[in-house]
Amino acid sequence: MDGRTDLRTFRALLSDEGQSLLAALEDAGPGRASRCAATADLWQSSPALVAAAEEQVRLRGRAAAYFGEFGPHMYFTPDLVELSSHLAVAEYKLDRVLHEIGVVLIDAMGLGSGADALVLSRSHHTTGVDADPPAVEIADANARAMRSPMLFPHHEDVTSYDSRSEAVFIDLMRRPGPDGSHDPESYGPSLSWALERVRTTGGGWIRLAPGLGPGVVPDPGRPDEAEWISYDGVSQELVLWWGLGEWGREAAVTVRKATLLPAGASLTARGLPEPVRASPGPLRVRAGPGRGRRGSGGRGRRGCRRRTPPRWRRPPHGRRAAVHALRDGVRGHGGAAVGRCREAADRLPRRAGGVRRHRGGRHRDADRRTRPVPAGALRAS
């Protein structure tokens, strides 16, 4: 939980006095004067409670974009709001659990934002395990707000918890490091521990940040599927799935999948090789603009050395195949079109040795400006 809201202050928010303060702040609106009037009586006696209530109202306004109608009744910290995915993402994963994994008892280790555990508890007996006492109490309060009676938050270290459920869900969504990168082994718990726990259980899934590269998961923990989920064009999370195929058996190849919500469209890649990067071209020297010109005396700008891009080569028989395909397509639409083109070509004015054409609004002889065209080349064969 965030350091600005400790466990004692959060419990005070759940009291009758805290609930009345939250209701008064929500009714007061965003204006500073109206909020000061709503909290004037409590500023002297409970300044920490007033600050926590104002923070909750602000976070609820931000979380409304993720949790919809449940947002104004839930409790958050700045980290929970920032690391939350849209509620539709959790509902999509619940649908996959129901139709592809088919379990009843689930352990949610590392509650994180709590959205996944709350949505899972709609249809599954879900035990939420977290080592942070405020996170456990927030999950319990949010379960009452979202009417999820089958979520049972439990305060215990996840690494020592004896899981007896059919599947396990582990939330490893974390903030990036100071340099903007992720190191899953520095998480608490680490990614290697999470892989071992899911593999021991036989089925489950791990929630990770979407910015992790494809080589983050080692081969010994190969999942059945790695799915990148986005909502409304924004990447939400990376989910590693186990138990989609034969239960308890390690997948030979990890399926990579991208899912776009709310449409529900997915793009799956199965065993595609990595793209081959072409080698750079030869090192060439490019002369300056004055070099080699008449009257410059060779005093041009010094040439610059640069690597040229790889040279594109036409595939063998590529032009001939394209021509034949075009010809066959025209023939497929009927031979009348070909006949009309040939008749129009025969009506062009002809000269000895060339064709007189209009280009740029002036008459130019093909003998002088273009390659001569034989008189019978455009006639029907």
Side-chain angles (χ1 to χ4, degrees), residues 156-200:
E156 187 175 342
D157 186 7
V158 295
T159 58
S160 59
Y161 178 72
D162 184 15
S163 177
R164 299 182 180 180
S165 295
E166 299 173 281
V168 60
F169 158 66
I170 303 177
D171 193 332
L172 291 183
M173 178 75 76
R174 300 292 186 270
R175 290 175 177 265
D179 57 347
S181 61
H182 292 269
D183 183 14
E185 291 303 315
S186 64
Y187 294 166
S190 63
L191 177 58
S192 59
W193 175 88
L195 295 173
E196 180 64 26
R197 174 54 65 95
V198 177
R199 190 165 53 248
T200 302

Side-chain angles (χ1 to χ4, degrees), residues 286-330:
R286 183 178 180 181
R291 188 172 181 177
R293 293 183 178 178
R294 182 179 300 177
S296 64
R299 296 189 302 273
R301 190 172 58 183
R302 294 185 60 185
C304 56
R305 295 177 178 270
R306 64 184 180 91
R307 288 280 185 183
T308 60
R311 186 178 180 182
W312 181 81
R313 297 182 182 276
R314 186 185 300 275
H317 309 294
R319 180 181 178 87
R320 182 178 302 174
V323 170
H324 284 297
L326 179 60
R327 182 191 62 187
D328 296 339
V330 172

Side-chain angles (χ1 to χ4, degrees), residues 67 261 335:
F67 296 92
L261 298 177

Side-chain angles (χ1 to χ4, degrees), residues 48-315:
L49 178 61
V50 173
E54 290 182 343
E55 180 74 359
Q56 281 299 320
V57 172
R58 185 183 66 85
L59 293 175
R60 285 177 174 182
R62 292 176 52 191
Y66 298 96
F67 296 92
E69 60 177 343
F70 299 103
H73 308 287
M74 297 175 65
Y75 299 90
F76 304 95
T77 65
D79 285 347
L80 294 187
V81 175
E82 183 177 348
L83 299 178
S84 294
S85 299
H86 198 277
L87 192 63
V89 177
E91 294 172 347
Y92 163 77
K93 290 186 290 186
L94 172 62
D95 186 69
R96 294 204 66 180
V97 172
L98 289 172
H99 293 87
E100 300 183 48
I101 296 182
V103 294
V104 177
L105 305 177
I106 299 176
D107 284 339
M109 297 187 175
L111 290 171
S113 64
D116 288 274
L118 291 169
V119 173
L120 283 172
S121 62
R122 296 177 181 177
S123 56
H124 296 77
H125 182 285
T126 306
T127 303
V129 184
D130 202 292
D132 186 19
V136 174
E137 297 216 9
I138 287 180
D140 186 47
N142 289 338
R144 294 193 297 270
M146 293 185 66
R147 299 181 293 274
S148 300
M150 289 194 294
L151 175 62
F152 303 94
H154 182 65
H155 173 227
E156 187 175 342
D157 186 7
V158 295
T159 58
S160 59
Y161 178 72
D162 184 15
S163 177
R164 299 182 180 180
S165 295
E166 299 173 281
V168 60
F169 158 66
I170 303 177
D171 193 332
L172 291 183
M173 178 75 76
R174 300 292 186 270
R175 290 175 177 265
D179 57 347
S181 61
H182 292 269
D183 183 14
E185 291 303 315
S186 64
Y187 294 166
S190 63
L191 177 58
S192 59
W193 175 88
L195 295 173
E196 180 64 26
R197 174 54 65 95
V198 177
R199 190 165 53 248
T200 302
T201 306
W205 61 103
I206 300 177
R207 177 175 180 253
L208 294 165
L212 295 178
V216 171
V217 182
D219 287 340
R222 183 181 296 125
D224 294 339
E225 184 177 294
E227 183 177 18
W228 282 263
I229 306 176
S230 64
Y231 183 86
D232 200 15
V234 179
S235 297
Q236 301 285 317
E237 57 190 51
L238 165 63
V239 184
L240 306 179
W241 294 93
W242 283 264
L244 299 179
E246 185 176 350
W247 190 265
R249 183 175 181 179
E250 184 175 306
V253 178
T254 299
V255 178
R256 297 183 183 182
K257 183 177 181 181
T259 300
L260 308 178
L261 298 177
S266 298
L267 179 64
T268 304
R270 298 177 180 271
L272 295 179
E274 295 292 336
V276 179
R277 181 175 299 179
S279 59
L283 181 63
R284 297 181 180 179
V285 179
R286 183 178 180 181
R291 188 172 181 177
R293 293 183 178 178
R294 182 179 300 177
S296 64
R299 296 189 302 273
R301 190 172 58 183
R302 294 185 60 185
C304 56
R305 295 177 178 270
R306 64 184 180 91
R307 288 280 185 183
T308 60
R311 186 178 180 182
W312 181 81
R313 297 182 182 276
R314 186 185 300 275

Side-chain angles (χ1 to χ4, degrees), residues 335-350 375-381:
V338 180
R340 286 195 296 269
C341 293
R342 289 175 175 173
E343 292 175 2
D346 289 338
R347 289 196 296 269
L348 290 175
R350 305 182 181 279
L378 299 178
R379 293 181 180 176
S381 57

